[in-house]
């Protein structure tokens, strides 16, 4: 019985590790695509951290959670941060180029325009602030 439990635990651990590995690879691919396509959104670069925020008009979490989080960051950081909001229904070409599969999706770029973080789904103000501070 103990061997059976250990075997099931090993399977569960393997599945979890496989999922985490797949998630990490997906994020690395999205960051790579963002690095190659920064000029499609920004030119010239603003020389400060940038959040590229993909949304749609009918996205409820975008309106109720993500937009207030971005507004809070703008209040706290002001001119030290630049936010680019892209409506994925108006610009499906950009969403495809950047690899956006769901909204909200946020990309954080450093002052050099290099993509450092991607958040699929809602990213609260605290998480975004931590990411900005590491830039």
């Amino acid at each position: 019985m103990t061997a059976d439990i250990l075997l099931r635990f090993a399977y569960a651990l393997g599945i979890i590790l496989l999922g985490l590995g797949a998630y990490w690879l997906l994020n690395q691919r999205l960051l790579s695509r963002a690095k190659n396509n920064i000029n499609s959104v920004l030119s010239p670069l603003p020389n400060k951290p940038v959040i590229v925020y993909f949304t749609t008009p009918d996205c409820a979490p975008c309106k109720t959670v993500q937009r207030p989080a971005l507004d809070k960051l703008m209040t706290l950081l002001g001119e030290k941060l630049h936010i680019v909001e892209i409506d994925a229904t108006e610009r499906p070409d950009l969403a495809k180029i950047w690899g956006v599969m769901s909204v909200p999706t946020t990309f954080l770029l450093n002052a050099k325009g290099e993509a450092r973080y991607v958040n699929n789904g809602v990213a609260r103000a605290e998480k975004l602030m931590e990411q900005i501070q590491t830039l």
Side-chain angles (χ1 to χ4, degrees):
M1 174 129 171
T2 305
D4 190 38
I5 292 172
L6 287 175
L7 182 62
R8 288 180 184 182
F9 176 75
Y11 282 146
L13 187 61
I15 291 169
I16 291 169
L17 291 175
L18 228 80
L20 289 173
Y23 179 74
W24 182 83
L25 285 173
L26 174 67
N27 276 348
Q28 293 305 309
R29 182 169 177 245
L30 289 175
L31 289 173
S32 174
R33 289 177 83 165
K35 287 177 188 176
N36 295 334
N37 295 301
I38 187 62
N39 292 332
S40 65
V41 176
L42 291 171
S43 67
L45 294 173
N47 224 10
K48 55 186 166 184
V50 177
I51 295 178
V52 179
Y53 165 52
F54 285 90
T55 185
T56 60
D58 58 342
C59 173
C62 298
K63 294 176 188 173
T64 59
V65 183
Q66 193 65 68
R67 171 51 47 203
L70 293 173
D71 291 341
K72 182 177 179 181
L73 285 177
M74 283 305 293
T75 301
L76 292 172
L77 299 174
E79 293 296 317
K80 297 178 185 176
L81 178 67
H82 185 70
I83 295 177
V84 176
E85 184 172 334
I86 300 170
D87 183 342
T89 58
E90 289 181 7
R91 298 296 310 268
D93 56 323
L94 285 179
K96 184 177 181 179
I97 288 171
W98 282 65
V100 174
M101 295 176 280
S102 64
V103 291
T105 297
T106 53
F107 290 88
L108 277 82
L109 315 173
N110 64 14
K112 297 177 184 176
E114 300 167 337
R116 294 292 187 205
Y117 296 100
V118 60
N119 299 299
N120 298 301
V122 172
R124 302 219 179 258
E126 296 78 20
K127 180 178 182 178
L128 292 170
M129 184 61 92
E130 288 175 17
Q131 292 173 340
I132 289 169
Q133 289 172 346
T134 63
L135 296 177

